[in-house]
């Protein structure tokens, strides 16, 4: 177990006193205490303030050990200085750590270092001032369950019981972070319909967008809240069974494409300036909505902030249940359906209290400052909204978001969409208007026509880039004014790392603050992990960006935080990802060990093997990378570096140049970079350590505690990154080249960016193959590929 903490703001003693007064650990009475042990006892009794009985509080103290023989109640009945050992023994127990399991009462300082907790104070004994400072730091330390101690006791009722609820300042900040002082048992839930400037279903009326609001009860009494907005196309329902009929079969041969001489200008999507229908006539004004709701899916990170004075808004956008319009999978229209909500929250757009009466309602409870959150499609819409520069959007926290739809569904002229997915399938998946039978009956015909047009325009057969895909580059026009916190999994093969790499590099052109967090998971949320204070970082971030608290977050938070793949529960900070911290190193592939002795390979497998692999993709992937003999031995080239003499970190985007020929007039090449060496590697899916242990507020939501843990069994290899290319798209993804049989061509292309620690003694592996059964089309074609290894090379960005 190791606790990492990046979100603590170094604080002067004068500020510490001020903040402890604000949360009432220091009062007019105890600030006068001159004896350290007496002051420490007062702090401990206040810590247990949820217990109204003094006898119960004293019993709690007696169950804490100050030394190996004296409990905290006995210890603090004395006078004099507080010893460092006693303070940290008690502190570790308050943090949930267990004696003789997590630490030893005889040497708590050793365990503090091993657990990664903040450095203890250097003094052997504490006076009153030092006790105050140490107590402040303890309250701002993460406990065994991944939660700041102050957040933990707030969830236990500290603010409610000690401060009488209404007497506390709202909002309240401690160490630069918003505190859980708002009443979550009286939240207001209401629905409005924001009028967009779109008419995506072409019915002659502007599309109305259903918007779900959850806001503190205090906003009815004049408090104006900053808003966390999540644009969630899935929230109103998903058409899982309906969309299945639109899936594309990737068990099919690669087709030859007609060569062309297209330039980018030929495939560039032009902005449309269609005049929208006239706005609806406003027939009245109201402050009350005509609709409410109960519980639906909500992001637990958003729930956390409801107890801390933020309002939370969800809207699914065009083409979703109870809204108007059509789903378009990534176009500007979807972006504008998200920015319309922000404009209403900022006072620059009209919303109605219901769908029919045209009675307008203002977001009078909003202070106009908006931050966006969300993962995947939700994060993509956050990115897209930010790049418009919409007024009122102060920040986005983007988890696994797209920057461009083409490299999500395509790569270098190839379809790389698993499970038959494509833009038309996602449109149908999220078109939850279909679930309202009456509504769907009125727009079924134009919707099916729209869907058929998408299917045609996306060119699923060719994999080429065209105007359809250029219109879905959500970062094409960069007007970003919002500060950006980007989060991505290094093992995310749904939204690949190239997406966040692209976003980040484009954002560097803007005068904004951007930060990056890279973890070792797949497509995961991070807000409930033991080893990393993600929620606290986000609290620090949003308290600054939306409340305007001067907490120095831009300097406190490192530019880049990366979870180490080789050492569990280890997170390190860096100035950059790729670039100035890395140097490039190029190897001729002929110099690497050729494990199977292949320089050519056939893409055709025996029929029984091919049929088996199509149904058991994990087995295919294992056999492709395995160096212990498999049916894939003669259907790929496996190259290995010499065993590494020292640890080596790949930091950025590797590139490869291959000299290849194919036995026919079509061809595709796939490559994978692999870490070879026995190790207990981390799981890519987080494991639940303790269920429902994280308290998000008093009498409020709970969350599971999770972690990426080492696998119980050693494995010999781990795929690090990969890439694919159609041999007819050697220059770019829209220009199709001719391809002649048995003629060598040079293919130069990039892997997905990564940050990977290869340990001493491990070997870097390169697998060259053709059909990827998980991502590309795979028709078991009789094609032989030959690679001239003496004219092929790989370039790796290596951390200095």
């Amino acid at each position: 177990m190791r606790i990492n903490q990046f979100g603590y703001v170094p604080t002067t003693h004068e500020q510490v006193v001020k903040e402890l007064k604000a949360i009432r650990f220091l009062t007019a009475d105890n600030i006068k205490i001159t004896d350290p042990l007496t002051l420490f006892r007062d702090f401990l009794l206040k810590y247990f303030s949820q217990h109204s009985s003094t006898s119960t509080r004293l019993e709690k103290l007696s169950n804490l050990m100050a030394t190996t023989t004296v409990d905290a109640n006995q210890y603090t009945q004395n006078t004099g200085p507080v010893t460092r050992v006693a303070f940290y023994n008690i502190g570790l127990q308050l943090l949930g750590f267990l004696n003789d399991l997590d630490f030893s009462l005889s040497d708590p300082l050793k365990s503090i270092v091993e657990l990664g907790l903040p450095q203890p104070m250097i003094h052997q004994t504490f006076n009153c001032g030092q006790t105050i400072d140490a107590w402040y730091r303890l309250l701002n330390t993460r406990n065994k369950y991944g939660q700041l101690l102050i957040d933990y006791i707030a969830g236990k009722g500290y603010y409610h019981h000690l401060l009488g609820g209404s007497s506390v300042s709202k909002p309240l900040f401690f160490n630069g972070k918003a505190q859980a002082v708002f009443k979550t048992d009286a939240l207001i839930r209401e629905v409005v319909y924001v009028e967009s400037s779109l008419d995506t279903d072409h019915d002659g009326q502007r599309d109305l967008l259903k918007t779900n609001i959850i806001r503190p009860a205090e906003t009815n009494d004049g408090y104006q809240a900053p808003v966390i907005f999540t644009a969630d196309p899935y929230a109103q329902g998903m058409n899982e069974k309906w969309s299945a009929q639109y899936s594309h079969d990737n068990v099919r041969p690669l087709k030859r494409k007609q060569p062309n001489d297209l330039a980018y200008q030929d495939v560039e999507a032009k902005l449309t300036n269609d005049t929208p229908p006239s706005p609806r006539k406003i027939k009245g004004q109201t402050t009350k909505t005509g609709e409410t709701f109960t519980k639906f899916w909500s992001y637990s990170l958003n729930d956390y902030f409801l107890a801390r004075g933020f309002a939370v808004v969800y809207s699914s956008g065009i083409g979703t249940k109870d809204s108007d319009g059509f789903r378009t999978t990534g176009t500007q229209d979807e972006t504008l359906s998200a920015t319309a909500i922000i404009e209403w929250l900022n006072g620059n757009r009209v919303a109605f209290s219901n769908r029919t009466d045209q009675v307008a309602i203002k977001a009078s409870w909003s202070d106009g400052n908006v931050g966006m959150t969300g993962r995947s499609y939700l994060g993509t819409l956050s990115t897209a909204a930010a790049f418009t520069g919409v007024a009122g959007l102060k920040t986005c926290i983007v988890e696994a978001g797209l920057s461009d739809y083409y490299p999500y569904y395509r790569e270098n002229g190839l379809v790389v969409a698993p499970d038959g997915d494509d833009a038309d399938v996602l449109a149908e998946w999220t078109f939850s208007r279909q679930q309202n039978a009456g509504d769907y009956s009125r727009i079924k015909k134009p919707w099916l026509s729209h869907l058929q047009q998408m299917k045609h325009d996306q060119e699923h057969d060719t994999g080429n880039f065209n105007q359809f895909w250029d219109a879905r580059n959500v970062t094409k026009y960069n007007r970003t004014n919002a500060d950006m916190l980007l989060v991505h999994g290094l093992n995310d093969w749904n939204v690949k790392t190239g997406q966040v790499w692209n976003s980040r590099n484009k954002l560097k052109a803007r005068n904004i603050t951007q930060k990056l967090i890279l973890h070792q998971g797949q497509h995961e949320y991070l807000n409930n992990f033991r080893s990393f204070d993600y929620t606290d970082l986000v609290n620090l971030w949003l308290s600054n960006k939306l409340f305007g608290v001067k907490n120095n977050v831009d300097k406190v938070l490192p530019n880049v935080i990366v979870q180490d793949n080789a050492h569990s529960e280890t997170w390190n900070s860096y100035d950059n990802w790729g670039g100035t911290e890395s140097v490039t190193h190029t190897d001729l592939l002929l110099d690497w060990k050729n494990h199977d002795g292949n320089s050519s390979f056939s893409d055709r497998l025996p029929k029984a093997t091919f049929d088996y692999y199509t149904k058991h993709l994990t087995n295919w992937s294992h056999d492709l990378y395995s160096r212990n003999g498999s049916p894939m031995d003669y259907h790929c080239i496996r190259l290995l570096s010499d065993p590494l003499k020292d640890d080596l970190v790949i930091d950025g985007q590797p590139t490869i140049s291959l000299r290849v020929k194919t036995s026919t007039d079509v061809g595709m090449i796939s490559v994978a970079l692999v870490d070879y060496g026995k190790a207990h590697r981390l799981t890519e899916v987080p494991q639940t350590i303790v269920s429902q242990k994280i308290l998000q507020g008093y009498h409020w939501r709970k969350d599971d505690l999770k972690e990426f843990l080492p696998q119980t069994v050693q494995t010999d290899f781990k795929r690090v990154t990969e890439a694919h290319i159609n041999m007819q798209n050697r220059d770019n993804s829209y220009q199709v080249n001719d391809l002649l049989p048995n003629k060598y061509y040079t293919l130069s292309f990039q892997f997905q960016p990564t940050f990977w620690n290869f340990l001493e003694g491990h070997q870097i592996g390169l697998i060259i193959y053709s059909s990827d059964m998980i991502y590309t089309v795979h028709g078991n074609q009789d094609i032989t590929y030959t690679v001239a290894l003496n004219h092929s090379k790989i370039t790796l960005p290596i951390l200095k």
Side-chain angles (χ1 to χ4, degrees):
M1 184 194 321
R2 185 168 179 81
I3 310 294
N4 298 269
Q5 188 168 351
F6 293 91
Y8 175 74
V9 181
T11 309
T12 65
H13 177 73
E14 290 74 19
Q15 183 65 21
V16 164
V17 170
K18 182 178 179 180
E19 291 187 22
L20 286 174
K21 285 180 177 179
I23 68 168
R24 308 298 172 82
F25 266 108
L26 281 176
T27 64
D29 292 329
N30 68 4
I31 195 68
K32 300 175 184 177
I33 294 174
T34 58
D35 178 69
L37 273 173
T38 304
L39 180 62
F40 187 31
R41 181 179 181 85
D42 189 78
F43 284 163
L44 290 170
L45 290 172
K46 283 183 170 63
Y47 178 90
F48 293 109
S49 62
Q50 71 268 29
H51 305 291
S52 57
S53 166
T54 302
S55 297
T56 301
R57 296 187 199 182
L58 293 175
E59 180 187 0
K60 296 295 181 182
L61 261 63
S62 67
N63 281 327
L64 300 171
M65 295 299 292
T67 70
T68 56
T69 58
V70 179
D71 68 48
N73 186 29
Q74 296 170 320
Y75 178 76
T76 56
Q77 288 181 26
N78 299 310
T79 58
V82 177
T83 68
R84 181 165 72 156
V85 168
F87 182 89
Y88 288 111
N89 272 334
I90 294 170
L92 284 169
Q93 292 167 83
L94 294 178
L95 291 169
F97 296 105
L98 302 178
N99 178 40
D100 292 334
L101 180 65
D102 302 315
F103 79 102
S104 170
L105 288 168
S106 60
D107 191 3
L109 305 181
K110 177 183 177 182
S111 297
I112 286 173
V113 173
E114 292 173 347
L115 291 166
L117 297 176
Q119 185 72 30
M121 295 186 67
I122 61 173
H123 313 283
Q124 293 298 319
T125 59
F126 301 164
N127 60 28
C128 282
Q130 292 158 347
T131 300
I132 288 171
D133 287 344
W135 183 253
Y136 177 87
R137 192 63 181 92
L138 181 65
L139 291 174
N140 286 292
T141 297
R142 304 185 75 225
N143 67 10
K144 185 176 180 178
Y145 306 108
Q147 194 168 23
L148 288 180
L149 189 58
I150 187 64
D151 273 358
Y152 175 75
I153 63 173
K156 289 289 188 179
Y158 171 78
Y159 292 119
H160 179 82
H161 292 284
L162 183 65
L163 308 175
S166 60
S167 65
V168 63
S169 174
K170 297 180 181 180
L172 178 67
F173 301 93
F174 190 64
N175 195 240
K177 306 172 191 73
Q179 297 298 293
V181 295
F182 286 79
K183 296 181 288 186
T184 51
D185 55 354
L187 291 167
I188 299 164
R189 292 174 170 85
E190 56 193 5
V191 177
V192 302
Y193 292 86
V194 174
E195 185 180 57
S196 72
S197 298
L198 305 165
D199 181 18
T200 56
D201 52 13
H202 306 293
D203 65 353
Q205 294 191 88
R206 294 190 176 206
D207 295 339
L208 290 178
L209 306 171
K210 182 179 183 180
T211 304
N212 291 59
I213 300 158
I214 312 173
R215 55 186 174 92
E218 290 83 349
T219 55
N220 271 355
D221 299 321
Y223 168 68
Q224 287 189 308
V227 183
I228 296 172
F229 168 42
T230 299
D232 181 4
Y234 305 115
Q236 293 296 323
M238 291 166 278
N239 298 340
E240 183 175 358
K241 292 185 178 180
W242 278 316
S243 64
Q245 64 184 298
Y246 295 96
S247 293
H248 304 268
D249 186 5
N250 285 337
V251 184
R252 54 189 172 87
L254 179 68
K255 294 182 180 180
R256 176 173 171 79
K257 297 188 280 191
Q258 182 64 36
N260 66 48
D261 294 315
L262 294 178
Y264 173 67
Q265 290 77 10
D266 300 315
V267 296
E268 183 179 10
K270 304 298 191 295
L271 285 174
T272 59
N273 294 307
D274 297 338
T275 302
S278 299
R280 290 169 175 79
K281 182 180 179 181
I282 296 175
K283 298 180 179 180
Q285 298 280 348
T286 186
T287 58
K288 294 184 178 180
T289 65
E291 186 177 342
T292 186
F293 62 96
T294 53
K295 186 75 172 69
F296 67 101
W297 178 90
S298 60
Y299 182 15
S300 60
L301 183 69
N302 291 354
D303 291 341
Y304 169 89
F305 284 104
L306 282 166
R308 288 157 175 82
F310 296 80
V312 174
V313 169
Y314 296 91
S315 183
S316 295
I318 50 173
T320 59
K321 190 176 181 181
D322 299 329
S323 292
D324 299 327
F326 289 161
R327 298 304 299 166
T328 60
T329 308
T331 66
Q332 184 188 34
D333 287 341
E334 288 189 353
T335 302
L336 295 178
S337 78
T339 58
I341 310 303
I342 298 169
E343 289 168 340
W344 175 68
L345 293 168
N346 197 239
N348 297 319
R349 185 166 288 279
V350 170
F352 298 107
S353 61
N354 61 42
R355 285 187 53 87
T356 57
D357 292 340
Q358 296 175 214
V359 176
I361 185 169
K362 294 182 178 180
S364 56
W365 45 267
S366 166
D367 72 358
N369 294 314
V370 181
M372 293 187 74
T373 62
R375 183 192 68 181
S376 197
Y377 208 158
L378 292 61
T380 302
L381 287 165
S382 299
T383 300
F387 271 71
T388 69
V390 60
L393 182 60
K394 303 298 185 181
T395 186
C396 292
I397 300 168
V398 180
E399 301 180 68
L402 299 184
S403 57
D404 189 351
Y405 278 78
Y406 180 82
Y408 180 70
Y409 288 112
R410 309 282 187 267
E411 185 177 356
N412 296 319
L414 285 173
V415 173
V416 290
D419 303 321
D421 192 14
D422 214 331
D424 59 333
V425 180
L426 183 58
E428 172 61 25
W429 178 280
T430 55
F431 185 62
S432 50
R433 282 189 74 179
Q434 193 164 339
Q435 298 179 19
N436 281 335
D439 185 24
Y440 184 54
S441 68
R442 292 184 287 271
I443 46 86
K444 179 178 180 179
K445 185 176 179 179
W447 165 249
L448 294 178
S449 176
H450 166 79
L451 202 60
Q452 186 63 34
Q453 189 65 48
M454 284 188 66
K455 181 178 180 179
H456 172 271
D457 293 346
Q458 70 192 5
E459 290 196 34
H460 186 86
D461 281 344
T462 72
N464 287 343
F465 184 88
N466 59 14
Q467 289 183 341
F468 177 91
W469 295 111
D470 194 49
R472 287 161 173 79
N473 179 354
V474 299
T475 60
K476 183 177 178 180
Y477 303 103
N478 188 2
R479 305 180 184 92
T480 311
N481 296 315
D483 290 340
M484 304 291 283
L485 176 57
L486 308 177
V487 185
H488 215 97
L490 289 164
N491 287 292
D492 192 340
W493 291 95
N494 177 355
V495 177
K496 304 180 186 73
T497 53
Q499 299 285 350
V500 68
W501 176 270
N502 180 51
S503 289
R504 186 167 181 270
N505 287 332
K506 287 191 174 183
L507 288 168
K508 289 178 180 178
R510 300 295 295 177
N511 185 25
I512 63 167
T513 298
Q514 63 155 310
K515 305 291 183 178
L516 173 67
I517 298 169
L518 298 172
H519 60 82
Q520 290 300 324
Q522 296 178 0
H523 208 54
E524 308 293 342
Y525 284 118
L526 274 191
N527 57 298
N528 53 358
F529 276 67
R530 178 175 66 189
S531 68
F532 183 49
D533 59 333
Y534 178 72
T535 297
D536 306 331
L537 287 177
V538 173
N539 192 344
L540 193 69
W541 182 266
L542 291 181
S543 293
N544 172 261
K545 307 305 176 185
L546 299 187
F547 272 116
V549 176
K550 295 180 180 179
N551 56 23
N552 214 24
V553 66
D554 290 355
K555 292 183 178 180
V556 169
L557 183 57
N559 288 337
V560 180
I561 300 174
V562 182
Q563 184 186 15
D564 194 291
N565 59 279
H567 304 95
S568 63
E569 300 185 89
T570 301
W571 300 75
N572 300 308
S573 60
Y574 302 90
D575 286 336
N576 207 343
W577 181 27
T580 56
E581 291 191 322
S582 299
V583 295
T584 57
H585 177 80
T586 300
D587 278 346
L588 197 66
L589 296 189
L590 189 65
D591 294 337
W592 286 26
K593 177 185 176 182
N594 192 327
H595 185 266
D596 301 304
N598 299 337
S599 60
S600 64
F601 58 92
S602 170
D603 197 38
R604 171 165 284 185
L605 294 163
K607 186 177 185 305
T609 304
F610 178 79
D611 291 344
Y612 175 80
Y613 281 150
T614 57
K615 296 179 177 64
H616 301 87
L617 296 177
T618 301
N619 297 73
W620 168 80
S621 181
H622 175 275
D623 289 353
L624 174 66
Y625 305 135
S626 175
R627 54 180 174 175
N628 295 324
S630 80
M632 291 298 296
D633 284 356
Y634 300 103
H635 301 279
C636 66
I637 298 172
R638 298 190 185 103
L639 306 173
L640 287 89
S641 72
D642 291 333
L644 298 173
K645 296 180 181 179
D646 299 289
D647 289 3
L648 181 149
V649 175
I650 294 180
D651 172 26
Q653 189 163 36
T655 60
I656 191 164
S657 177
L658 297 176
R659 189 74 173 159
V660 186
K661 68 178 181 179
T662 171
S663 62
T664 184
D665 59 359
V666 298
M668 60 178 165
I669 290 292
S670 302
V671 290
L673 207 61
V674 182
D675 178 359
Y676 282 104
K678 293 287 186 181
H680 292 279
R681 292 178 168 85
L682 296 180
T683 58
E684 297 175 3
V685 177
Q687 309 300 301
T688 298
I689 299 173
V690 187
S691 297
Q692 298 293 285
K693 193 65 177 181
I694 299 174
L695 309 177
Q696 296 187 321
Y698 182 59
H699 288 175
W700 186 226
R701 307 268 192 261
K702 296 181 180 180
D703 206 353
D704 296 336
L705 182 69
K706 296 187 176 183
E707 191 58 63
F708 299 117
L709 298 175
Q711 297 172 349
T712 56
V713 178
Q714 283 190 331
T715 56
D716 180 51
F717 57 83
K718 173 75 171 65
R719 185 270 312 276
V720 175
T721 183
E722 66 182 24
H724 311 83
I725 191 170
N726 190 319
M727 292 182 68
Q728 287 194 265
N729 292 88
R730 297 186 294 277
D731 294 325
N732 53 59
S733 55
Y734 47 82
Q735 184 178 349
V736 178
N737 306 116
D738 200 2
L739 185 66
L740 300 177
N742 298 312
K743 179 180 178 180
Y744 278 104
Y745 296 93
T746 298
L747 311 176
S748 296
F749 54 112
Q750 297 175 312
F751 291 85
Q752 293 295 321
T754 190
F755 194 106
W756 195 264
N757 185 3
F758 288 84
L759 292 177
E760 175 188 354
H762 283 215
Q763 292 172 275
I764 304 172
L766 176 67
I767 313 299
I768 305 171
Y769 59 109
S770 179
S771 297
D772 188 320
M773 291 198 172
I774 296 176
Y775 287 103
T776 70
V777 297
H778 42 282
N780 207 27
Q781 291 167 276
D782 187 11
I783 304 175
T784 298
Y785 297 89
T786 302
V787 181
L789 297 174
N790 57 331
H791 294 289
S792 301
K793 59 187 178 181
I794 186 169
T795 300
L796 302 175
I798 298 173
L799 189 66
K800 295 177 186 178

